[in-house]
Amino acid sequence: PEGELRGRFRIHFEKEVHLDLHDKRYIIGIDLGTTNSAVSYVDLEAEGNKGSRIQIFRVPQLTGSGEFSTLPVLPSFLYIPGEYDIAEEAITIPWKNPDDNFVGAFAREHGSRVPARLVSSAKSWLCHAGADRRAKMLPRGAGEEVAKVSPVQATAYYLDHIKKAWNNTKGEEADLYLENQAVTLTAPASFDEVARDLTLEAAAMAGLDNVTLLEEPLAAFYSWLIGHEKEWNRYVEPGELILVCDVGGGTTDFTLITLREVEGSPRFERIAVGDHLILGGDNIDLALARRVETRLSGGKRKASLSENRWKALTHQCRGAKESILDGEVESKKITLMGKGKKLIAETLSAELGREEVTETVLEGFFPLVEASREKARPERKGITEFGLPYEPEPAVTRHIGWFLEHHRENVKQMIGRDSPAPDLILFNGGSLKAGIVQERIRVAIRHWFQLDDPAVPRVLENPDPDLSVALGAAYYGLVKIGQGVRVGSGSPRSYYLGVAREADDTQGPRQAICLVERGLDEGSRIELPDKEFEVLTNQPVGFDLFSSSYRSGDRCGDLVAVDETMTPLPPIRTVIQFGKKGVQSAIPVRIEAEYTEMGTLAIWCRSTVTDHRWRLQFQLRDAAGPAEITEEEVFDESVVAEACELIRNAFSPASEPKLLDSLVREIADLVDRPKEKWPLGLIRKMADQLLELIEARSQQHREESRWLNLTGFCLRPGFGDGFDPHRVKQLWKIYKAGPIHANNAQVRTEWWIMWRRIAGGLKPGQQRQFIQDLSAAMIPKKGGKPKVPHQEELEIWMAVANMERLLVKDKITWGRQLLSEIGPKKSKPQFFWSLSRLGARELLYGPVDRVAPPHEVAGWIGSLMETEWRNLKPVWNAVSQMARKTGDRVRDLDPEQVNRVLEWMAATDCPEPLKEPLIRVVPIRKQEENTIFGESLPTGIKIRT
């Protein structure tokens, strides 16, 4: 909205960006892979051409028990030793580490035998929005005896090892240490902004504070250019399309590049980047493990594998797949040993052969599929054995087709041809090393586009996919200093930041300043030093962004009118914090921006009167369409203003009690909607008005009770709108003092209801403080009873249960306490609802690492099934949620336990719909979602997609 930024502008634009190599000897390229990491370098003082100067750094690492040697890659696995599982002398490393954790080849091999202590696929977790990526959650499912690490920490371990391994080869020459060189770190092109920031955070934790991020597919293409820098025109002609197809261990990335004439000379330019796909070698390993699992018992009933044995099976299947596809062996025996006295008796084995591996890989992940323009929304969930949100559609070839079809118009605009079928393809990633896989993809592309020429798409040679990304990253460093062929990654659109009019300019159209002009190279810095900007602080403000594919004459810094040629993009809604007292003010700032190599627009507001600097970051990839409007209806501002006026009048000290009593009815009449149908935009404006009237609670208990009730209702579920964090922060300020009229029972009840309603907006620490403050009253010492009235106790339990970000150990403690209080004579439905929320398999907003362990919850379910209940309906509902199947073996109950639950449900005539989620993975439906949440959500808020 207008009023956030205003001013007149004069522009300076710096087109070329060069690395500062002052006092730097090396350019370093690091490929931080899901399965393997690799490092390359350029010695700037070495003689020779660019290609020969780029070398692979063979990474020193533990390769066996007590063996320390170098390998061309560093396997991205972290092992967390226990007290007795590995000898101290087996993990001797020639540099100091703060703990005994180690990474690399030996970590992978030893960890395959002790999977409960092995961290893998940290990179996939780094981009999992449904997890707290800073929480110590890996290895997943490990017991309390394992000192877990977060995905960010695991990533930092790999980078720290690389840094120390490099530095160890440089002796005492600190100037040559890795942290003092020019480092380029690669990341998937499809990483979202959070994943990129977390990657940089991990680098900083490892002591690498100044790194450049580069997209992996682009790095792979730069690697090809290393060997073809002087002869690329023999392989690529102007107007041809190059598809970079990168399928690694955890992610799949596509990039489309073309060669075209620009200002009379040929230039490589990137046209498009694909969507984020957690799909790769891990998925193939899981599919193979599923096939092997069915026959591990020698053809008898399906083996029921524990979580650790399942992990071990998956690791063995990965090794067998690689050996078979690399042509080393024709088959491999998979063996799972038993434990202790049953070492031999419980040993399971099965053979995995070439035909089975080939069929699984080609037909399951690279099938021939028919062309389709639209990416259908799958009804089923993807493989989730390890809790990751794997892509539901496993066919990589179908994703390739969708990607190319999606960018058909971009191809037409850029090079004037109708077909987006690639002329050339560059394969990259460990999952595409096998020749049969590469050939299948070529055939699939021809099949999709109905092409008859068997020679297309032509293949650009990539002799070592494990190292190409690291090599390309180092070459990119040379490009940045003007030594190499640059791939233009210019913006296909222009981007504009909305600004307000001058105070005396009340007429005319809204305006915006051009920040990114069409064709601007990614990696460019934009400076607006001669300025008169102001930004509003300590209050909710919005920064609106627009794009245009049509306007071609605008230049960075141009002030233009917002018209129909511009498309609004998702805005940033935030609060610029300034000063200690939170006084609202307008301060002068200078605008700085960068259009990054990763396709994001970073904007800084730098204060010209203090040292403060605030960063706003917009994600531009695939943001061509208008912002998604989740509101089903939006009221005229005058209606919203009238509703807020009714609230002000009702809570006025001079108002009559009847105004307060009739407030909800009057608002419902005004908007012609019942309370439950009030849309998000309306209730959040009402919440803002109520927060302004926060002191009105002090009048009488009637005002406080109504204020708590209406505020909680209007702010539920605590998230969903861009300004909700600011609103919840304001509300939290009254928490510690508690309700003002605490002696009134209705006020106390409404107090707990409000916190239950907005619990989703509370941070983990706030949720934990909430339960800690209640522990003395709700979890009395042995033999005691809760010290709160019964009705209030119900509301407290529901509030606690709605806090999904609580630590697992806290959920266990509170769940056990609640279970001990439930009995045939005390069996209100709210108690069962609360227990089901504490023990839920599928959380509504909380991260997957905060799910109570299945073995604990199985005990709760067992207690419920052993008790005679007068009303079974709430018990069935609770059990259905606590035994629900997710497809994630870490969260799911043991199959035998689920079978016992189903037998109990059948014996007690449980309705079929409540049994279904225990039999197969069923997405939570909207009606069920409302039941789980405890009430309907505001129109416009969608918990899951």
Side-chain angles (χ1 to χ4, degrees), residues 156-202:
Y157 267 104
Y158 306 142
L159 292 171
D160 183 65
H161 180 98
I162 289 170
K163 183 190 75 172
K164 290 176 178 175
W166 171 277
N167 293 351
N168 190 59
T169 66
K170 304 304 176 188
E172 300 298 322
E173 296 185 75
D175 288 347
L176 303 184
Y177 286 178
L178 191 139
E179 60 267 32
N180 298 322
Q181 310 309 311
V183 179
T184 298
L185 183 63
T186 65
S190 54
F191 254 22
D192 65 16
E193 196 50 54
V194 176
R196 285 191 282 271
D197 283 347
L198 291 174
T199 301
L200 293 175
E201 183 178 320

Side-chain angles (χ1 to χ4, degrees), residues 601-636:
L601 176 61
I603 301 175
W604 288 270
C605 296
R606 183 187 291 276
S607 171
T608 59
V609 294
T610 69
D611 293 331
H612 293 82
R613 188 174 185 247
W614 301 270
R615 188 177 85 160
L616 310 170
Q617 195 129 322
F618 295 87
Q619 173 58 40
L620 304 185
R621 286 282 160 73
D622 295 318
E628 180 185 357
I629 304 297
T630 57
E631 296 270 22
E632 293 183 3
E633 55 183 342
V634 179
F635 292 124
D636 183 271

